[in-house]
């Protein structure tokens, strides 16, 4: 598999963009400036980044409650995202969706989802439309280890396989569904084993290695585009933050968290690129500084934007 | 114009829409060669092939989700849930996903799908195959809810539902599949949200849905023999609900009875009653009455099932009671 230096630098940039965005959201939440729930993607950036780097604009994704990373990786605009998370009228969903429902259908983002396991059946539907129309686009369904145990996920994998739909099921196994470890939620160690039940390839990758994710998803996307049907890619990872902001994390041990922080997916790529002479420390700093500027502009946009008018409440219920 | 059954009218609606628009397709359990559990999709597989008449596994969540996702991409799926009672296992995809996407996404998505399902008692199918669940769907913003009572309405409403840009829950009463009526051969639509006055009258307004429209009409004939001239209105869709036609009628008749087969408690009759009470209380000469099934699951044994389903006698009795 060939991957250019430029692509790798792009992935480095995207991962940093997600990290900076999430860190900022974390601060805002702590300051009480964001209503509702936020579920941060810090530590898992390699998955969305590697997977979406294989996609075209016309390809679709379904995302989850932990969706900011997927949106950014699929081309989401930080301004519109931050405004949405603030509940502003200028946000992606006019403030009607919030963190758990950000969508950008024009970018193929069929929504974050507040329902665990909600995305699989919908990804199939998008894939069915591609298949029916003879388009070689694909749909990627991101889902967690918790979502892996939902009936909808099994139904979706079965139907995708029975109909050879161009879907890639990207499992983000971060070891927990809220407080429940996978050791208690399932009898198997590798969710990818379930692919065998649906006669699709099941691959386990290091979810903190963006290049490994890219490689595995590329092959799955190639198969899907060529009409060979769905695949299941399980990406082993960890969430650094609590399940949602405010989670005291009583169910896990600080050493465990630290051991994963040491496997930081961003640092891992950065070191690799530096060793190979692809990315200098200066260039790396430049990238981060440029991202910080973009983020500040997004923050300013969100802060300055108006809240929706209550007159808009009853709009957009029906087409 | 030709005489057709309710079932043929529905079938013709799908056939003509599929001929008109290649983005219309059907999916569901046994809808292909088998023609659907009640035969509503008969012959469509032969004409349009398996790419457009798709047999699914027994997987209601995946059916509704596939329809939702395809609709989000601009297609016009018509999915069949074999019995409305099975919607429970797929409800999330309908009421949290399809129904809410447009709103949650700030108006940026359209979900032009139809979910067809037979409902209702009367064939001895018992508690898990006989319910009338329209009130559930009518309680969810983002869904439209349609309930045809005649072959003519069945065709026009289904074509309108397929062309509608919203998720439409289209509830067919299984006892009506065989009834006949005049149905034009050419495609036509009936606007969703327009009630139909099935019988004009001056003395009392009876609002009835689905099979109960026929029960109400039968009761109206019996009442006429006693000199009571009942007006029978079929709302045809519950969302949108044409409350104006009902209120205009109540202003004329000064009495309102609502009849549905769904259990009375929590049924749409309560909603209609409340809206009329709010908007036309001063025109009422007597308290509004509601008839619905008792608060039990649908029973199996024939005498019990018969007792469960409201009949014309109950309608006549209620009207006479209302008129003192
Ligand atoms: C149907 C449903 N059940 C429960 C929840 C509450 N909930 C939200 S996130 C979550 C955990 C999901 O775990 P996983 O799929 O592993 O995703 P992660 O949070 O680890 O990214 C739960 C139980 C929900 N939102 N939806
Ligand atoms: Mg998890």
């Amino acid at each position: 598999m060939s991957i250019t230096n430029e692509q790798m630098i792009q992935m480095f940039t995207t991962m940093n963009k997600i990290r900076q965005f999430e860190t900022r959201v974390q601060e805002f939440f702590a300051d009480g400036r964001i209503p509702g729930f936020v579920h941060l993607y810090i530590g898992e950036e390699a998955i969305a980044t590697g997977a979406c780097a294989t996609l075209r604009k016309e390809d679709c994704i379904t995302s989850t409650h932990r969706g900011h990373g997927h949106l950014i990786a699929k081309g989401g605009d930080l301004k519109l995202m931050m405004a949405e998370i603030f509940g502003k009228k200028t946000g992606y969903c006019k403030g009607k969706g919030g963190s758990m429902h950000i969508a950008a259908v024009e970018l193929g983002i069929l929504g974050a989802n507040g329902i665990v396991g909600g995305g699989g059946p919908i990804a199939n539907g998008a894939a069915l439309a591609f298949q029916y129309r003879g388009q070689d686009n694909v749909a990627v369904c991101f889902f967690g280890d918790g979502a892996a145990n939902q009936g909808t996920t099994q139904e979706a994998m079965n139907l995708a396989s029975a109909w050879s739909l161009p879907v890639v099921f990207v499992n983000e196994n971060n070891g927990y569904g809220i407080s429940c470890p996978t050791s208690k939620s399932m009898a198997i160690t590798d969710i990818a084993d379930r692919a065998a039940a649906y006669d699709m390839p099941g691959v386990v990758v290091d979810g903190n290695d963006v290049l490994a994710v890219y490689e595995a998803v590329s092959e799955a996307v190639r198969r899907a585009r060529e009409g060979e049907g769905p695949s299941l890619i399980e990406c082993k990872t960890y969430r650094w933050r609590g399940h949602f902001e405010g989670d005291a994390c009583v169910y896990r041990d600080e050493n465990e968290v630290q051991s994963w922080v040491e496997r930081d997916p961003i640092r891992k790529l950065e070191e690799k690129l530096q060793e190979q002479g692809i990315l200098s420390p200066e260039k790396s700093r430049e990238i981060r500084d440029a991202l910080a500027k973009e983020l500040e502009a997004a923050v300013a946009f969100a802060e300055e934007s108006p809240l929706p008018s209550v007159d808009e409440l009853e709009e957009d219920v029906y087409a | 114009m030709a005489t057709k059954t309710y079932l043929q009218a529905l079938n013709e609606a799908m056939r003509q829409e599929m001929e008109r628009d290649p983005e219309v397709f059907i999916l569901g359990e046994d809808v292909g060669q088998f023609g659907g559990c009640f035969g509503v999709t008969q012959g469509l597989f032969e004409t349009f092939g398996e790419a457009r008449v798709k047999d699914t596994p027994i997987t209601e969540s995946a059916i509704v989700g596939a329809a939702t996702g395809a609709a989000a991409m601009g297609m016009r799926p018509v999915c069949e849930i074999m019995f409305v009672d099975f919607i429970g296992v797929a409800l999330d995809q309908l009421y949290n996903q399809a129904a809410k996407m447009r709103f949650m996404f700030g108006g940026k998505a359209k979900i032009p799908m139809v979910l067809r399902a037979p409902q209702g008692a009367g064939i001895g199918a018992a508690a898990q195959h006989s319910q009338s669940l329209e009130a559930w769907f009518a309680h969810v913003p983002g869904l439209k809810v349609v309930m045809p009572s005649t072959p003519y309405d069945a065709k026009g409403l289904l074509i309108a539902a397929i062309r509608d840009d919203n998720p439409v829950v289209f509830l067919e009463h299984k006892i009506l599949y065989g009834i006949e009526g005049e149905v034009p051969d050419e495609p036509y639509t009936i606007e969703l949200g327009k009630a139909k006055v099935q019988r004009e009258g001056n003395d009392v307004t009876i609002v009835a849905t689905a099979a109960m429209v026929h029960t109400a009409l039968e009761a109206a004939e019996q009442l006429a023999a006693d000199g009571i001239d009942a007006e029978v209105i079929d709302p045809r869709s519950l969302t949108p609900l044409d409350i104006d036609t009902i209120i205009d009628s109540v202003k004329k008749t000064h009495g309102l009875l609502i009849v549905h087969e769904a259990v009375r408690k929590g049924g749409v009759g309560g909603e209609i009653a409340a809206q009329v009470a709010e908007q036309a209380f001063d025109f009422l000469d007597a308290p509004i009455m509601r008839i619905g099934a008792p608060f039990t699951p649908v029973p199996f044994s024939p005498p019990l099932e018969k007792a469960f389903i409201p009949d014309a006698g109950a309608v006549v009795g209620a009207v006479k009671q209302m008129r003192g």
Side-chain angles (χ1 to χ4, degrees):
Chain A
M1 193 208 51
S2 65
I3 174 160
T4 65
N5 293 350
E6 254 160 61
Q7 281 174 304
M8 287 192 282
I9 289 174
Q10 186 54 51
M11 289 189 216
F12 175 76
T13 306
T14 302
M15 286 203 287
N16 275 290
K17 196 176 193 178
I18 298 170
R19 177 73 55 91
Q20 290 191 9
F21 184 87
E22 294 292 67
T23 305
R24 205 75 164 96
V25 170
Q26 179 191 323
E27 292 161 9
F28 284 135
F29 192 85
D31 290 347
R33 297 184 58 193
I34 294 174
F37 292 107
V38 289
H39 306 83
L40 300 181
Y41 200 61
I42 296 175
E44 307 187 30
E45 296 89 346
I47 304 171
T49 302
C52 290
T54 70
L55 301 180
R56 308 170 181 155
K57 188 174 171 212
E58 302 72 37
D59 295 325
C60 282
I61 65 166
T62 58
S63 170
T64 69
H65 57 286
R66 200 175 301 290
H68 305 165
H70 308 138
L71 268 88
I72 292 172
K74 189 66 173 62
D77 180 327
L78 299 192
K79 283 189 172 128
L80 307 186
M81 285 182 62
M82 194 61 95
E84 186 60 33
I85 292 169
F86 270 70
K88 296 295 180 80
K89 179 187 168 81
T90 53
Y92 263 121
C93 310
K94 303 184 197 162
K96 285 178 166 156
S99 166
M100 265 193 291
H101 304 297
I102 309 185
V105 179
E106 65 282 9
L107 296 174
I109 301 167
L110 297 181
N113 210 310
I115 302 298
V116 173
I122 298 169
N124 276 353
L128 178 60
F130 296 145
Q131 184 185 61
Y132 180 86
R133 291 168 173 166
Q135 296 163 327
D136 70 346
N137 300 326
V138 304
V140 170
C141 166
F142 290 102
F143 68 113
D145 49 283
N149 298 326
Q150 284 283 37
T152 44
T153 302
Q154 306 311 315
E155 289 191 36
M157 289 199 283
N158 179 62
L159 188 70
S161 157
W163 288 0
S164 231
L165 295 174
V167 186
V168 182
F169 294 93
V170 176
N171 182 254
E172 304 181 311
N173 185 351
N174 59 14
Y176 293 88
I178 308 189
S179 69
C180 185
T182 49
S183 60
K184 287 190 191 164
S185 64
M186 56 187 82
I188 52 174
T189 319
D190 293 335
I191 290 165
D193 288 353
R194 292 186 180 163
Y198 305 109
D199 192 31
M200 61 171 92
V203 181
V204 179
V205 296
D206 176 355
N208 283 20
D209 179 348
V210 70
L211 301 178
V213 174
Y214 177 83
E215 188 170 345
V217 178
S218 292
E219 169 55 12
V221 165
R222 180 203 63 73
R223 280 175 48 87
R225 291 204 203 287
E226 291 175 14
E228 293 170 35
S231 307
L232 169 59
I233 313 292
E234 176 184 0
C235 308
K236 306 270 194 194
T237 187
Y238 198 81
R239 64 170 152 73
W240 292 10
R241 303 289 305 165
H243 169 67
F244 40 46
E245 286 309 285
D247 174 3
C249 289
V250 292
Y251 48 85
R252 66 184 194 184
D253 171 308
E254 190 48 37
N255 293 331
E256 181 183 282
V257 181
Q258 274 316 312
S259 74
W260 280 92
V261 169
E262 280 156 26
R263 290 192 248 170
D264 181 355
I266 298 181
R267 213 183 52 229
K268 188 168 180 157
L269 180 66
E270 186 169 19
E271 282 170 5
K272 186 168 196 158
L273 297 182
Q274 289 189 353
E275 268 165 35
Q276 295 179 0
I278 296 167
L279 182 71
S280 63
E282 296 71 50
K283 174 77 180 163
S284 168
R285 203 172 319 117
E286 259 172 46
I287 289 172
R288 288 191 166 106
D289 289 348
L291 288 172
K293 279 209 186 97
E294 184 184 347
L295 181 60
E296 285 326 301
V299 169
F301 175 80
E303 285 178 328
E304 287 156 19
S305 287
L307 287 160
S309 140
V310 291
D311 304 339
E312 293 163 45
L313 174 60
E314 294 190 34
E315 289 172 7
D316 302 320
V317 180
Y318 292 96
Chain B
M1 202 121 78
T3 300
K4 288 167 197 154
T5 64
Y6 183 92
L7 185 147
Q8 286 166 336
L10 293 166
N11 181 276
E12 192 169 276
M14 287 186 277
R15 175 178 292 282
Q16 291 178 345
E17 282 306 279
M18 290 178 82
E19 281 163 355
R20 185 185 65 83
D21 181 353
E23 298 270 290
V24 176
F25 72 102
I26 291 173
L27 73 167
E29 291 159 21
D30 307 294
V31 295
Q33 226 171 1
F34 190 72
C37 189
F38 288 91
V40 184
T41 56
Q42 242 162 34
L44 299 177
F45 176 86
E46 285 72 10
T47 308
F48 300 103
E50 64 181 331
R52 297 186 68 192
V53 185
K54 300 184 77 69
D55 276 324
T56 65
I58 302 160
T59 189
E60 285 78 9
S61 285
I63 296 168
V64 179
T68 304
M73 303 306 291
M75 295 193 70
R76 292 189 178 270
V78 180
C79 68
E80 175 174 307
I81 296 295
M82 192 183 277
F83 287 77
V84 78
D85 313 70
F86 307 163
I87 197 63
V89 297
L91 208 51
D92 181 66
Q93 290 292 320
L94 182 66
Y95 88 116
N96 270 329
Q97 313 294 342
K100 296 182 174 49
M101 273 168 113
R102 181 172 180 79
F103 184 84
M104 292 190 301
F105 299 177
K108 288 209 241 117
K110 276 186 198 166
I111 311 294
M113 65 180 268
V114 178
L115 184 150
R116 291 182 37 249
Q119 65 168 12
I123 63 163
Q128 296 171 342
H129 292 74
S130 303
Q131 296 165 85
S132 293
L133 299 179
E134 68 274 9
W136 291 11
F137 307 116
H139 198 59
V140 179
L143 296 179
K144 292 192 176 180
V145 185
V146 181
M147 298 176 76
S149 67
T150 66
Y152 178 85
D153 287 353
K155 178 171 173 181
L157 290 170
L158 184 51
I159 292 180
I162 292 171
R163 295 184 191 178
D164 197 279
D165 280 337
N166 298 283
V168 180
V169 177
F170 194 92
L171 300 168
E172 301 160 7
H173 199 299
K174 56 176 85 75
I175 209 82
L176 298 179
Y177 280 136
I179 65 164
E180 293 187 329
E182 293 296 305
V183 177
D185 292 331
E186 62 279 2
Y188 61 95
T189 59
I190 296 171
E191 190 184 338
L192 307 186
K194 288 272 173 280
K196 183 162 174 176
V197 178
Q198 285 284 5
R199 183 188 195 281
E200 288 189 22
N202 289 309
D203 297 339
V204 64
T205 301
I206 305 176
V207 172
T209 54
M212 288 299 119
V213 173
H214 303 277
T215 303
L217 288 170
E218 187 189 330
E221 290 313 308
Q222 293 176 22
L223 289 165
D226 289 338
I228 300 171
D229 187 18
E231 179 142 299
V232 176
I233 297 177
D234 176 4
R236 299 196 287 198
S237 64
L238 301 177
T239 306
L241 176 67
D242 181 1
I243 196 69
D244 293 346
T245 295
I246 296 170
I247 284 173
D248 287 346
S249 174
V250 169
K251 286 181 176 171
K252 174 176 72 173
T253 65
H254 309 291
L256 175 63
L257 168 67
I258 305 137
V259 191
H260 54 63
E261 185 184 308
V263 292
R264 199 173 87 117
K265 183 181 176 201
V268 293
E271 175 62 29
I272 293 170
Q275 290 196 30
V276 170
E278 284 161 355
Q279 296 181 49
F281 185 78
D282 291 343
F283 292 88
L284 291 166
D285 286 345
I288 298 168
M289 293 186 77
R290 290 176 295 147
I291 291 180
F295 199 56
T296 73
V298 184
F300 169 64
S301 179
L304 297 182
E305 187 184 39
K306 187 164 178 293
F308 175 90
I309 303 170
D311 63 12
V315 176
V316 169
V319 169
K320 289 193 171 164
Q321 187 189 333
M322 188 191 301
R323 294 172 57 85

